[in-house]
Amino acid sequence: MQKRIFFVSVLVLMNLGLSSAQTPNKPSSVQLYKQLKKLNFLGSVLYVAAHPDDENTRLISYMANEQLAQTAYLSITRGDGGQNLIGPELRELLGVIRTQELIEARKIDGGSQYFTRANDFGYSKNPTETLQIWNKDEVMHDLVLAIRKFQPDIIINRFDARTPGSTHGHHTASALLSEEAFELSSQSTVYPNQLKTYKPWQAKRLYFNTSWWFYGSREKFQKADKSNLYRLQTGVYYAPEGKSNQEIAALSRSKHQSQGFGTAGERGEDSEYLEFLKGSPVSQNQPLFDGIDTSWNRVKDGKKIGDLITETLKQYDFTNPAKSLSNLVKIYQLIQQIEDVHWKTIKTNEIKSLIAGCAGLYLEGIADVAETTANSRIKIQVEATNRSEIPIVLTAIKMKPDSPFVFQPQALVTNIPYKSTLNCSIPDSIGITQPYWLEHTYTDGMYQVNDSKLIGLPEKLRSILLTFELTLFDTSISFERIVHYQYTDDVKGEMHVPLDIVPAVSVSVADEVILFSSTKPKKVHVKVRAGKNDVQGEVKLDLPTHWQCQPESIPFQLQNKQEELTVEFTITPSETIEKTSLTAFALVDGVKYNQSQRIIQYPHIDKQLVLKPASSTLVRLDLKSASKKIGYLMGAGDEVPTGLQQMGYAVTLLHPHLISADYLKPFDVIITGIRAYNTIQALTSKQSYLLDFVKNGKTLIVQYNTLDELTTPNFSPYPLKLSRDRVTEEKAEVRILAPKHPLLNYPNKISSSDFVNWKQEIGLYFPSEWDSAFTPLLSANDTGESPKNGLLLHAKYGSGNYIYTGLSFFRELPEGVPGAYRLLANLISID
């Protein structure tokens, strides 16, 4: 049993420590000294909240860097239901981005990262609704599992379980679940299968991390009685790093780029407040970890380890950290002898990192390709450099998965790189690179993860791993490194990307939604991409009954890896009004390949490869539209322009800084993308041109904006007050307020049925007050709430039309919701 526990624990920590280690780590002597101090602290804190960007990076940084505690953030979801300020990715693709942003944030503030399998299905107004959509038992399982894995001494909730309905339902649910898990994790009858690997665990105390936000204002918080709150002085200045705790936290927070949370660093005094909830309380004049032994005395036979670390700290030479290597190797030996598997695993990884850093060890494996396939061969250029004066011997290099090759031990001469090329076989059984939680079919509320060892991890290791076995001071120590691909960019210099395992062939349909407003055939383009050299086969489409395709198949031949070919089919739709789908696939030697390959690449995160079914939504609908030239002003990023093109419109993406009367003159309709007035600073000076465009007889359609940081208060020609009102229930009834209004009658007759099967929400941030010049057209509300009548507003301005809407077209069009297309066609068609 002990061996099994150790193996899984190592896997967990390797995933946490190596998951985004494509760029080789090169710590300074100051960083190594800090790591040595942390090696001497055996305490842990788990911070719990609902989404990426919910975490308090100031508190996480303080716990990790000042308290030196093992600090982790458990985000119940991956933030799949939010908006994206840097690109068009939404839903599961946004979750991939936000996962990587959390990983990058933790690299900066010193924490580690956990998740549950809960899917962020979008805004929820109360925890009851949230827990009806999530599988509460599975989320609780994952939360208890994280506690048993991480063994926190202290758990801190970001949100308050006592105030349901006052904030996002996911927020309150995270606190409710955490409070319950605090008790359940210590009970041996709860999730007993976990106890085959982990032991029951009882945290010492549970807190709520309150702040002025929960009191309504800073002024109210200043006046509030804080006698029951534990205050932490978190405005620490870390002189060796030259940064305050707040500055480190701001750098971490600023990794949440998809949410627009770039933050300026601050300096000076600062405080965080903890409200005690459960466990063993401490008074303000006691240390936060009072009653918890955070020294090496915590583990059997640990005292001598702590004493040796203390001695090493006193003798540490910032100009030559290698002088500590003899003691560090002895510490490594002692850690291998302790019985406590949990701390043995954590501290083994820490001491190995210290040894490598103090020796100036540079160990890496660089593949000759960025992508490869199963059952292939690649070359890996390995380098091992010892930049210390300490004798070190490289005794072996091993690859996971196993690829046998002969290796002769090599003495690593000081500052002389050892380099060699390994010819490696990639086994047929190797897994394709893919976010593990997207490998199987999932629901609106939960992801499915079949491999229990992966549950909770931010991501799984890339498939190809090298182990360097070294001997120093007569002690054998192994160091793991993920194989990556390296290239030199003329502007950015040395660049590292992961080595991905890809399918032999991937296929993708050019359009995720294909609209048919009649039985007239349409051309459908399918791209075939080779994952290896010399691939040939045929491409086919799986279509529903009564839909026809010509030709039935198209042969292809691709000679080179990464070569692409686009083929063209003609599809004739059914006469029946319906929403259905097609699937594209390639047949190669009798094997069916039906996955599309989506690459997500932004400068602030590692490249991500996501495989999705090679399918497209087919919508045969009754759609009439007028011929209009549309200019689209992209805001936070959405796929609405693609939907407009499917409707047959000519769409031009506008450049905000070029906006002028002449620039807008060719267009009949201007549409502003979601949150355009929050994100496009140029609208501060360009809004007058847009309003003149309307006054002169054209149409301006403004999609939703938030209340915060509007670039101009004059986004409307008449007074209009935004609110935080939402209708989050997909099945909420949408009522017609002005049945004879042209927007609801021409060229398509709009009824309540056009709002059936909307996805995630009806809309958000609706106006709550408006000038009498506006006509409200639609009304809806969530269960038990008052009607929201600001879903769609129309006003004449001059001889043109101004339309404001909070309806979530940006979600509905990519989902192929027929009614959304019909209504949008009416907004565009108005004269």
Side-chain angles (χ1 to χ4, degrees), residues 35-36 39 309 324-325 327-333 335-336 344-358 477 479:
Q35 291 177 25
L36 185 57
L39 185 68
I309 295 173
S324 298
L325 280 172
N327 277 359
L328 292 177
V329 172
K330 291 176 184 176
I331 293 168
Y332 171 83
Q333 293 170 336
I335 290 174
Q336 304 318 298
K344 178 180 181 180
T345 304
I346 292 172
K347 296 305 178 181
T348 293
N349 280 275
E350 288 184 5
I351 190 64
K352 285 165 66 172
S353 178
L354 272 166
I355 290 170
C358 288
I477 306 176
F479 299 85

Side-chain angles (χ1 to χ4, degrees), residues 73-324:
Y73 173 43
L74 190 151
S75 178
I76 300 293
T77 75
R78 296 176 185 267
D80 328 72
Q83 284 81 51
N84 183 2
L85 292 182
I86 61 174
E89 297 89 354
L90 292 174
R91 293 301 305 144
E92 70 277 1
L93 296 181
L94 177 59
V96 172
I97 291 173
R98 299 187 73 184
T99 294
Q100 291 300 311
E101 289 178 335
L102 276 182
I103 291 171
E104 295 300 322
R106 299 293 82 78
K107 289 180 186 178
I108 292 171
D109 59 36
S112 54
Q113 187 63 48
Y114 286 96
F115 292 96
T116 76
R117 289 169 289 170
N119 189 346
D120 178 3
F121 56 83
Y123 193 85
S124 172
K125 293 184 176 179
N126 60 74
T128 301
E129 177 195 27
T130 297
L131 296 175
Q132 287 173 346
I133 297 175
W134 289 348
N135 183 317
K136 180 184 176 182
D137 183 67
E138 289 184 359
V139 180
M140 183 63 72
H141 167 281
D142 297 356
L143 188 48
V144 169
L145 178 63
I147 292 172
R148 289 171 172 173
K149 277 184 181 181
F150 190 67
Q151 296 187 14
D153 299 306
I154 297 169
I155 299 176
I156 302 174
N157 291 342
R158 166 78 282 188
F159 298 106
D160 190 350
R162 299 161 296 189
T163 55
S166 63
T167 182
H168 197 320
H170 296 183
H171 293 169
T172 311
S174 72
L176 289 166
L177 291 165
S178 178
E179 288 195 17
E180 191 173 345
F182 179 83
E183 307 284 356
L184 294 179
S185 57
S186 65
Q187 299 175 21
S188 59
T189 57
V190 174
Y191 307 118
N193 284 342
Q194 295 179 5
L195 303 181
K196 297 175 183 178
T197 306
Y198 304 100
K199 64 181 182 180
W201 183 257
Q202 179 61 65
K204 191 75 170 179
R205 48 191 67 107
L206 175 69
Y207 289 104
F208 159 46
N209 177 204
T210 191
S211 70
W212 67 265
W213 189 87
F214 295 95
Y215 285 73
S217 69
R218 296 182 187 276
E219 293 73 21
K220 289 181 179 179
F221 187 56
Q222 287 177 351
K223 298 175 182 178
D225 178 12
K226 301 183 185 63
S227 59
N228 64 329
L229 303 182
Y230 189 95
R231 181 185 181 190
L232 293 168
Q233 301 282 3
T234 55
V236 181
Y237 174 62
Y238 304 112
E241 287 90 350
K243 295 182 180 70
S244 68
N245 185 67
Q246 303 98 304
E247 287 171 320
I248 292 173
L251 292 171
S252 171
R253 183 77 171 163
S254 297
K255 286 298 181 180
H256 293 296
Q257 293 184 19
S258 66
Q259 299 303 292
F261 282 128
T263 304
E266 297 178 359
R267 293 143 294 280
E269 292 186 359
D270 195 22
S271 299
E272 289 291 337
Y273 292 88
L274 303 178
E275 180 182 350
F276 175 78
L277 298 177
K278 291 184 177 182
S280 174
V282 294
S283 62
Q284 183 63 53
N285 58 2
Q286 294 174 308
L288 184 64
F289 284 87
D290 186 72
I292 303 168
D293 192 346
T294 58
S295 75
W296 274 97
N297 293 328
R298 181 171 194 157
V299 302
K300 182 181 178 182
D301 298 324
K303 184 178 184 304
K304 51 189 174 183
I305 299 175
D307 291 343
L308 189 51
I309 295 173
T310 300
E311 177 187 327
T312 308
L313 283 166
K314 291 177 180 178
Q315 298 173 354
Y316 186 80
D317 187 342
F318 284 90
T319 65
N320 186 9
K323 289 181 180 180
S324 298

Side-chain angles (χ1 to χ4, degrees), residues 670-726:
I670 301 298
I671 304 177
T672 64
I674 61 173
R675 298 176 69 175
Y677 287 95
N678 301 122
T679 60
I680 304 176
Q681 195 59 44
L683 288 178
T684 303
S685 58
K686 300 293 186 178
Q687 177 64 6
S688 60
Y689 294 110
L690 293 176
L691 294 181
D692 286 344
F693 175 83
V694 179
K695 184 183 290 186
N696 293 329
K698 305 296 183 71
T699 298
L700 175 63
I701 302 172
V702 178
Q703 297 183 81
Y704 96 91
N705 295 274
T706 67
L707 292 76
D708 305 321
E709 299 179 357
L710 288 165
T711 56
T712 173
N714 302 316
F715 61 88
S716 167
Y718 306 110
L720 183 67
K721 183 179 179 181
L722 301 181
S723 74
R724 299 187 185 278
D725 290 344
R726 300 170 179 253

Side-chain angles (χ1 to χ4, degrees), residues 774-794:
F774 283 104
T775 300
L777 303 175
L778 300 172
S779 176
N781 56 270
D782 286 330
T783 303
E785 294 191 356
S786 61
K788 308 296 183 288
N789 295 335
L791 279 64
L792 179 62
L793 302 175
H794 169 260

